[in-house]
Amino acid sequence: MIIRVVIAGPRGKMGQEAVHTVMNDDNMELVAVLDHKDLAVNLAQYEQFPEQYDVPVYTELHTLFDAVKADVFVDLTTPLAGYEHTKTALFAGVRPVIGTTGFTDGQLEELTNLAKSSEIGCIIAPNFAIGAVLMMKFAQMAANYFPDIEIIEMHHDRKLDAPSGTAVKTAQLMAENRLSHKQGHPEEHENIPGARGADFEGMRIHSVRLPGLVAHQQVLFGGTGELLTVRHDSFDRKSFMTGVKLSIEKVMDLKELVYGLENIL
Ligand code: NAP
């Protein structure tokens, strides 16, 4: 069976990779893309894509779903747009695969309930790289033994949300194995606000944004006389495409929302 896929954000860094991935997969067909800017009616007209990429472009998602029959909707846009698109896709009966990060807990809860009540599969994955998923798993394991933890996540300077979805997901996983407690000196004081980073149940998260970076994270575990570092680097956005492909395939068999690639591996 050929899976009919729609991609939102095709001009973006992730979107471009996803377009190539679906176009080059024999078991998938890119039936349409969503671009919020009215730049062209066909993907072949974009300078980023070869002229054989004959795929219609829509600027409005309802219109797209009315015109094109789709199985899976992939979103690689911005937190606000991605959230609205996910709801629209669920209402249209099209299974969302969401790589866009930065959804709030309330939004995730609402989408989880919506997917469950409509029995439509949905995958939201803050990180599609297999190595990053393993990094999160190893960090969760280490949190059993090292309760004092700091996360340093580093991304390119075009990223909108901070901390990264991966950092938040890692902290949530570690919180399952670690009792919440304040870290550092009980009387520590920030001379410059933010110096100690964001506080997630006592764990500290530091977000670095610099040109040249792609997506990198290290989790530091401090013990008596020792330091354990668990680290993952995505040097190229191709690292995310194995997870995108896998999610498009797996979401076809789901009837509810799954958050995190580790839950479908
Ligand atoms: P990007 O290069 O900035 O691409 C975002 C694209 O979305 C742009 O083409 C942008 O168009 C478009 N866009 C903005 N608002 C839109 C709207 N309202 N409707 C439709 N499209 C809209 O960003 P990126 O690096 O590709 O990242 C995209 C998302 O994926 C981010 O949330 C990022 O955090 C996430 N991400 C996830 C993973 C993962 O493994 N899950 C990995 C990397 C990144 P304009 O150019 O016109 O603004």
Side-chain angles (χ1 to χ4, degrees), residues 9 11-15 34 36-37 76-78 81 85 99-101 125-128 156 159 161 237 240:
R11 281 180 297 108
K13 293 179 286 295
M14 284 288 284
L34 179 80
H36 67 136
K37 289 187 182 150
L76 296 157
T77 62
T78 63
H85 294 162
T100 303
T101 56
N127 203 316
F128 282 122
H156 58 90
K159 186 168 179 58
D161 54 315
R237 287 175 181 80
F240 303 117

Side-chain angles (χ1 to χ4, degrees), residues 74-220:
V74 178
D75 195 277
L76 296 157
T77 62
T78 63
L80 190 60
Y83 164 67
E84 292 298 336
H85 294 162
T86 310
K87 278 202 299 189
T88 307
L90 285 170
F91 280 126
V94 180
R95 304 161 189 86
V97 166
I98 309 302
T100 303
T101 56
F103 292 1
T104 64
D105 288 347
Q107 289 172 332
L108 286 173
E109 195 181 333
E110 186 190 345
L111 295 172
T112 302
N113 293 337
L114 191 56
K116 194 167 193 163
S117 60
S118 48
E119 295 190 359
I120 295 171
C122 176
I123 294 174
I124 300 184
N127 203 316
F128 282 122
I130 307 288
V133 172
L134 289 173
M135 175 267 295
M136 289 188 253
K137 287 242 174 217
F138 296 154
Q140 185 181 26
M141 208 186 290
N144 276 312
Y145 307 97
F146 295 93
D148 290 302
I149 302 166
E150 306 238 349
I151 300 175
I152 305 172
E153 57 96 340
M154 299 176 286
H155 283 82
H156 58 90
D157 61 349
R158 310 312 297 160
K159 186 168 179 58
L160 290 175
D161 54 315
S164 70
T166 304
V168 174
K169 177 77 187 168
T170 312
Q172 287 168 342
L173 289 171
M174 293 192 298
E176 289 173 18
N177 289 359
R178 167 192 175 276
L179 286 177
S180 174
H181 72 275
K182 183 173 167 24
Q183 296 185 178
H185 195 285
E187 288 163 27
E188 73 180 8
H189 172 73
E190 287 182 328
N191 291 331
I192 301 177
R196 289 287 290 117
D199 186 331
F200 189 103
E201 298 197 11
M203 291 177 270
R204 296 292 173 161
I205 308 179
H206 311 269
S207 298
V208 178
R209 297 290 176 265
L210 285 172
L213 295 171
V214 177
H216 317 259
Q217 177 168 295
Q218 45 182 311
V219 189
L220 275 56

Side-chain angles (χ1 to χ4, degrees), residues 225-260:
E226 61 179 328
L227 176 77
L228 170 68
T229 305
V230 180
R231 177 174 177 130
H232 176 261
D233 295 273
S234 275
F235 298 114
D236 190 302
R237 287 175 181 80
K238 286 187 174 57
S239 64
F240 303 117
M241 292 304 128
T242 323
V244 171
K245 245 175 90 166
L246 184 72
S247 299
I248 292 172
E249 289 160 3
K250 291 271 185 180
V251 79
M252 294 296 292
D253 300 324
L254 296 176
K255 293 212 177 313
E256 60 185 350
L257 188 149
V258 171
Y259 180 64

